[in-house]
Amino acid sequence: MATKHPRPLSPHLTVWRWGPNMAVSILHRATGVALSIGGLAVLTWWLIAIAEGPEAYDGFSAAAKHPLGILVLIGLTWSFFQHLFSGIRHLVTDTGANFELGANKRSAVLTVIGSILATAAVWFYLLGVQK
Amino acid sequence: MSLGDSASPLGKVRGLGSAREGGEHWITERVTSIALLLLGVWLVASLLFLPALDRQTIIEWLRAPTGAVPMALLIVIAFRHALDGLKVIVDDYVHEEGSRFGWNTLFLFLAVGGGALALYALGEIVFGAVA
């Protein structure tokens, strides 16, 4: 076959050309893993700290208010919104809709813009009121 | 019973394909995602609307049925959805049969164990002598 541009062979990171759709698809998996491991670990630790007593809760609070802790929590908040918006987009495509190239690409970009805006709103509020 | 071409696409994936299973996992992942959309937004909104995030305020919030019930549902469904999602990733990227079984079993134990731990902590907060 003497084609100049061979067709893509398999759905693999090193073969496919990057675009918003692919990036958001990968992000959906990455944020899913982050929420499954990190998000659920923080949720469980938080509940145990509340149940255990004031000292345990102080320990959790100190870690959560440490700059590194805040960074992790901001990352988990963004993962939550990214996975949520991208998840809604997946539910729509599951019905067979939104496969037009332009609309599909635009909705992929929108999930990222939405997740960044939502994360910024939550954290400007949280850090602003100093809960 | 042979389904042949007359079966609808949905009928084929609903456990009626050649493997007689698989469709259930796909549908469960979607149904739990819709539940988590509601419960996740509930959790984030609750944390933002609580007057403060100190231990006492959170205990009062979780002891009310409007806090305890959604939180219990969130724990069970989030761990289930995490397990279902991680299985897709393991099945996609771990090719060797033995390691795939190992990873899936590890995540099954972590999800069931973590979920039980989180539920126990919530039970202690709601029903225990926590103060």
Side-chain angles (χ1 to χ4, degrees):
Chain A
M1 284 235 288
T3 42
K4 260 188 174 176
H5 302 286
R7 305 296 300 157
L9 295 173
S10 66
H12 195 278
L13 295 184
T14 53
V15 179
W16 281 40
R17 193 162 56 88
W18 280 87
N21 331 47
M22 176 174 166
V24 164
S25 172
I26 301 292
L27 276 183
H28 192 73
R29 293 195 159 195
T31 52
V33 171
L35 291 166
S36 297
I37 313 273
L40 289 179
V42 171
L43 177 74
T44 306
W45 177 20
W46 180 62
L47 289 169
I48 291 172
I50 299 166
E52 230 171 66
E55 300 90 61
Y57 194 73
D58 286 346
F60 177 87
S61 286
K65 285 172 182 162
H66 187 276
L68 270 179
I70 291 179
L71 200 69
V72 169
L73 291 177
I74 290 176
L76 286 174
T77 311
W78 174 73
S79 297
F80 168 77
F81 283 119
Q82 180 58 40
H83 199 81
L84 188 151
F85 293 143
S86 167
I88 293 172
R89 179 170 168 268
H90 271 289
L91 287 174
V92 172
T93 48
D94 285 341
T95 70
N98 197 37
F99 278 97
E100 296 82 4
L101 290 181
N104 190 284
K105 200 170 177 175
R106 269 194 302 281
S107 63
V109 174
L110 273 179
T111 65
V112 179
I113 296 174
S115 67
I116 291 173
L117 287 179
T119 308
V122 164
W123 280 92
F124 271 119
Y125 175 73
L126 278 181
L127 296 174
V129 296
Q130 289 293 333
K131 272 212 196 181
Chain B
M1 186 182 71
S2 166
L3 281 159
D5 289 337
S6 64
S8 70
L10 187 61
K12 279 178 181 163
V13 299
R14 274 195 177 149
L16 298 173
S18 58
R20 297 286 188 269
E21 61 175 15
E24 213 53 53
H25 177 271
W26 190 90
I27 288 170
T28 304
E29 208 184 6
R30 265 85 195 151
V31 174
T32 50
S33 81
I34 297 168
L36 284 177
L37 201 151
L38 302 171
L39 292 165
V41 170
W42 164 80
L43 177 65
V44 172
S46 301
L47 293 177
L48 289 179
F49 283 116
L50 278 176
L53 292 179
D54 62 283
R55 187 166 166 272
Q56 217 50 48
T57 311
I58 290 169
I59 289 176
E60 271 171 44
W61 164 57
L62 286 178
R63 277 196 172 165
T66 47
V69 174
M71 184 58 86
L73 290 173
L74 175 74
I75 293 168
V76 173
I77 300 172
F79 274 96
R80 174 65 197 268
H81 185 77
L83 179 62
D84 284 339
L86 288 172
K87 181 175 158 53
V88 172
I89 295 193
V90 169
D91 290 350
D92 269 4
Y93 300 120
V94 182
H95 302 301
E96 205 265 311
E97 199 82 41
S99 353
R100 194 162 57 202
F101 176 79
W103 278 105
N104 279 325
T105 306
L106 173 73
F107 284 138
L108 174 66
F109 285 13
L110 280 177
V112 174
L117 201 60
L119 272 184
Y120 179 81
L122 178 66
E124 250 195 329
I125 296 166
V126 177
F127 304 114
V130 170

